[in-house]
Amino acid sequence: MKIEKNYNLTKLNTFGIKATAKFFTEINSEEELREVFNLPEFKNNQKLFLGGGSNVLFTKDFDGIVVLNKLKGIEIIEENEKNVLIRSMSGVVWHDLVLFTVEKGLWGIENLSFIPGSVGAAPMQNIGAYGAELKDVLVSVESYEIKTGNKRIFNAEECELGYRDSIFKNGLKGEYFISAIVLALSKVEKKNIEYRVLQEHLEKNKIEVKNSKDISEAVMSIRKSKLPDPNVIGNAGSFFKNVFLSKEKDKEKIKELVFNYPHISYFDEGDFIKIPAAWLIEECGWKGKKVNQAGVHDKQALVLVNHGGATGEEIKALSEEVITSVFEKFGLKLTPEVNLI
Ligand code: EPU
């Protein structure tokens, strides 16, 4: 197993931030993963498992070992007339898994097309888009405890999935490496096209949804029109989470916001009202703004971008300015979705 020193991570994070890792190695199989657990460089240092690098911001060099996840493979492990259980290794590119399923005519993750990153990151933050989230289809997560190297399988409930959240970001943060996931998908049509932006796109382009691939393609074209391609301009998708206010507990706050900002954009989410962070940021005048080489994307205010050569510190500083101005104007606290390292 090859261990490299002072490894350049610029190409391994979609922000394109220049940073190095003190030690670096990659794993191509579960055997290699088990070997990693026994390496002195692993045992005696901070550890960071990296997948697609699409949800991290390096604010400094990493003084530890980075393990690049290249565990590949997708298999159908069970099926009946209606459903299919699919197991995917965590190093698979998420969108490749989506393509695999839509090519087979399966329903369940087509709305999650084109989300950057690897399969392993999906349960970590319960990825979601266009009215669907991983939570809707996740059956189990296979993992290894980093301290002991012991294998553990979590069922969906044990993962405690919430909005962009899971036990792996909270109580068990940094304790488990996700090696594979199992999803339950449907062979029977399960169209999910209620999400406003998706519905509008289908109507405008007169698309009649006949299979999951039609939705996948629609989602891809919406994403392409709004979200910057990390190969062209560094970014990590949404930098912040949306704001959820409880209809009960935050009643007064909601009233105050609607009174002061009658044009406010919000969405009804059961017991909660969702206020798009993008709207709050745009209202503060940040959309399309540039500070040094860091910026707020001009088509989606939720996305921070690296205009070329920005440092992680610069992006972080911009994010803090955005948080402060949203707080001063609306009294709402934005939290980053991206992991700051
Ligand atoms: N909006 C603005 N200004 C903007 C963009 C959006 O005011 O520049 C407002 C509009 O009112 C719009 C609303 O925000 O109707 C929602 O916008 P959009 O549908 O683009 O979704 P979002 O809430 O901003 C979330 C996810 C995205 C996901 C989209 C689509 C989070 C943090 N982000 O964004 O996920 O693609 O929904 O479902 O929940 C990601 O996580 O990296 C990501 C891109």
Side-chain angles (χ1 to χ4, degrees), residues 69-272:
N69 176 3
K70 290 190 143 181
L71 303 179
K72 300 286 182 203
I74 304 173
E75 55 176 339
I76 290 179
I77 51 175
E78 223 178 285
E79 66 182 303
N80 59 27
E81 263 167 40
K82 286 186 180 162
N83 300 307
V84 172
L85 284 187
I86 289 204
R87 177 174 182 262
S88 169
M89 297 308 290
S90 58
V92 168
V93 171
W94 171 262
H95 186 62
D96 290 347
L97 175 61
V98 175
L99 289 178
F100 178 93
T101 67
V102 299
E103 286 304 333
K104 293 206 157 5
L106 300 170
W107 299 81
I109 54 173
E110 58 281 3
N111 295 45
L112 306 178
S113 292
F114 228 41
I115 293 186
S118 60
V119 164
M124 209 48 115
Q125 55 158 354
N126 182 25
I127 55 170
Y130 305 101
E133 19 173 47
L134 185 77
K135 196 172 188 244
D136 310 331
V137 292
L138 185 73
V139 174
S140 60
V141 167
E142 295 173 26
S143 70
Y144 285 83
E145 189 180 22
I146 292 170
K147 204 163 58 186
T148 60
N150 292 337
K151 194 159 184 173
R152 172 167 170 191
I153 298 177
F154 289 82
N155 64 36
E157 206 185 315
E158 289 170 323
C159 295
E160 295 177 8
L161 302 182
Y163 170 61
R164 291 299 196 276
D165 213 6
S166 74
I167 196 162
F168 307 109
K169 281 178 90 177
N170 289 298
L172 297 181
K173 189 171 178 180
E175 291 189 31
Y176 286 86
F177 166 73
I178 294 169
S179 53
I181 66 173
V182 175
L183 305 179
L185 303 179
S186 174
K187 286 183 179 175
V188 189
E189 184 185 289
K190 264 196 172 172
K191 231 188 313 194
N192 175 2
I193 50 172
E194 305 303 308
Y195 193 85
R196 201 188 292 169
V197 179
L198 177 57
Q199 209 169 28
E200 281 166 7
H201 177 90
L202 295 171
E203 276 165 20
K204 200 173 116 208
N205 295 287
K206 300 192 171 57
I207 299 166
E208 197 201 319
V209 174
K210 287 188 225 69
N211 46 52
S212 56
K213 202 174 174 185
D214 296 334
I215 296 183
S216 172
E217 281 167 2
V219 167
M220 281 169 71
S221 83
I222 301 172
R223 289 188 78 98
K224 278 185 191 157
S225 71
K226 286 194 181 168
L227 298 167
D229 177 354
N231 294 318
V232 181
I233 181 164
N235 76 90
S238 305
F239 194 91
F240 303 99
K241 293 188 196 184
N242 284 320
V243 177
F244 285 77
L245 295 177
S246 155
K247 282 182 189 168
E248 204 186 298
K249 275 197 264 163
D250 305 310
K251 206 163 151 190
E252 291 308 314
K253 184 72 199 169
I254 296 170
K255 256 199 217 158
E256 173 203 313
L257 287 168
V258 176
F259 182 77
N260 291 335
Y261 304 96
H263 62 298
I264 191 168
S265 167
Y266 66 87
F267 297 82
D268 196 313
E269 302 263 340
D271 293 340
F272 295 88

Side-chain angles (χ1 to χ4, degrees), residues 31 183 280 329 337:
E31 288 69 46
L183 305 179
L280 299 166
K329 191 171 166 104
E337 187 204 300

Side-chain angles (χ1 to χ4, degrees), residues 65 102 311:
I65 182 164
V102 299
T311 62

Side-chain angles (χ1 to χ4, degrees), residues 15 233-235 239 286-298 300-308 310 314-315 318-319 322:
F15 254 125
I233 181 164
N235 76 90
F239 194 91
W286 283 107
K287 198 168 177 173
K289 281 256 173 81
K290 201 172 154 192
V291 180
N292 300 318
Q293 287 306 95
V296 177
H297 188 50
D298 58 356
Q300 209 332 343
L302 200 50
V303 179
L304 299 189
V305 294
N306 174 1
H307 283 292
E314 267 169 32
I315 307 263
L318 173 62
S319 76
V322 168

